[in-house]
């Protein structure tokens, strides 16, 4: 016997619930409550992923939204995703969350022929110096598990010693580092984020450079500066779709965000593929809110019918 009204959990974290930093969350919750996909509405609860009192099996769909503290506690978060996914439908699925929570997935995309930003990885135990850091251009050092530019910094070849100390700090904390050339086009063309929902392109934004020269890796940073709406080119859409098609197992993704930059040759490359808890930037695209809400309710109703 199924419920007449599906139940949806919008999953966040306690810090975001207290701060209200996720501007989309209350708007989306209200829109999902009012949506009538398939002739039904939805009951909505905004809950923290690590709240021990939440009964995940009482929901027909748990939609990961602003769990933006997960990169500080990745093992706990991935264990939660497995538990939640065993109790109810989790979007995106636990296996996708696990694969995407570690940015070594860029190597998988590259192996599948997707154009990505060149990346090297240095795990704890690998020598930090010499580490093969670039000597002819600026570069970026950041962790493979991170969000909001946490522990990320931009260096010139002359700042080698500072970069090595950055690597040593990450390794001491058990973090694997990734080293990428600094993509110069970000300073002029910015970074574009293409959002997909329900398997279809939804909208896009452009943001400015996050990593300013001389900013320390442990300084707070603005993760999405100078936001504006964006109309992606056919080439950008094609690269984004190639990246999504290369996700292992070709799973059904309720949501996705593909972050692109222009390589030195001017063609788009994947900077990040966000399948865990991407900001969807609904506050810049208000017309997308009912589209997302209807898709969420339809997914929840379909899951409820199978229970």
């Amino acid at each position: 016997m199924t419920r007449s009204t599906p139940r949806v959990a919008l999953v966040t974290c306690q810090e975001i619930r207290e701060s209200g930093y996720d501007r989309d969350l209350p708007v989306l919750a209200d829109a999902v409550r009012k949506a009538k996909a398939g002739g039904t509405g939805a009951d909505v609860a905004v809950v923290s992923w690590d709240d021990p009192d939440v009964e995940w099996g009482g929901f027909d769909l748990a939609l990961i939204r602003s769990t933006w503290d997960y990169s500080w506690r990745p093992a706990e978060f991935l264990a939660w995703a497995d538990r939640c996914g065993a109790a109810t439908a989790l979007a995106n699925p636990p296996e996708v969350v696990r694969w995407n929570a570690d940015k070594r997935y860029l190597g998988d995309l590259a192996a599948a022929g997707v154009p990505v930003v060149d990346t090297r990885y240095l795990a704890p135990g690998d020598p930090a110096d010499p580490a093969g850091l670039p000597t002819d251009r600026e570069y970026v050092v950041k962790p493979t598990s991170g969000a909001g530019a946490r522990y990320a910094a931009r260096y010139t070849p002359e700042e080698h010693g500072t970069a090595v100390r950055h690597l040593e700090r990450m390794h001491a904390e058990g973090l694997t580092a990734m080293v990428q050339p600094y993509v110069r086009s970000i300073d002029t063309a910015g970074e574009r984020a293409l959002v997909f929902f329900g398997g279809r392109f939804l909208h896009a934004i452009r943001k400015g450079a996050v990593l300013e020269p001389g900013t320390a890796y442990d300084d707070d940073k603005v993760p999405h500066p100078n936001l504006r709406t964006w109309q992606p080119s056919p080439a950008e859409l094609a690269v984004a779709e190639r990246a999504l098609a290369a996700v292992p197992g070709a799973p059904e993704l309720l949501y996705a965000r593909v972050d692109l930059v222009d390589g030195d040759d001017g063609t788009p490359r994947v900077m990040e593929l966000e399948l865990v808890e991407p900001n969807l930037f609904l506050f810049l695209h208000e017309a997308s809110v009912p589209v997302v809400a209807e898709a969420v309710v339809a997914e929840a109703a379909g899951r409820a019918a199978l229970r």
Side-chain angles (χ1 to χ4, degrees), residues 69-134:
D69 63 346
Y70 90 90
S71 66
W72 294 96
R73 303 152 61 193
E76 287 181 61
F77 182 76
L78 294 177
W80 164 81
D82 288 339
R83 292 195 306 272
C84 184
T88 189
L90 179 66
N92 282 320
E95 61 272 18
V96 172
V97 171
R98 184 172 295 277
W99 175 78
N100 192 238
D102 188 317
K103 292 183 178 64
R104 280 174 283 198
Y105 66 73
L106 287 171
D108 295 338
L109 296 183
V114 178
V116 303
V117 175
D118 292 338
T119 307
R120 293 187 61 231
Y121 302 98
L122 294 168
D126 291 340
D129 188 16
L133 297 175

Side-chain angles (χ1 to χ4, degrees), residues 194-299:
L194 279 60
V195 176
F196 293 76
F197 213 92
R200 297 182 179 182
F201 171 70
L202 183 66
H203 59 234
I205 62 94
R206 171 185 161 177
K207 67 179 181 180
V210 175
L211 299 179
E212 296 292 338
T215 301
Y217 68 88
D218 52 359
D219 283 350
D220 289 334
K221 306 172 186 73
V222 178
H224 305 297
N226 302 317
L227 282 171
R228 65 188 73 177
T229 60
W230 181 255
Q231 184 61 45
S233 68
E236 289 172 336
L237 282 168
V239 170
E241 289 168 354
R242 285 176 64 186
L244 295 176
V247 176
E252 291 186 10
L253 302 172
L254 184 58
Y255 57 87
R257 198 183 85 204
V258 187
D259 294 350
L260 303 174
V261 293
D262 291 332
D264 289 343
D265 60 358
T267 61
R269 291 177 172 269
V270 175
M271 173 71 79
E272 292 190 7
L273 177 58
E274 298 276 3
L275 307 180
V276 180
E277 32 60 88
N279 192 324
L280 301 179
F281 306 109
L282 297 176
F283 61 88
L284 282 180
H285 291 274
E286 294 182 0
S288 293
V289 173
V291 178
V292 170
E294 293 285 340
V296 169
V297 174
E299 179 75 10

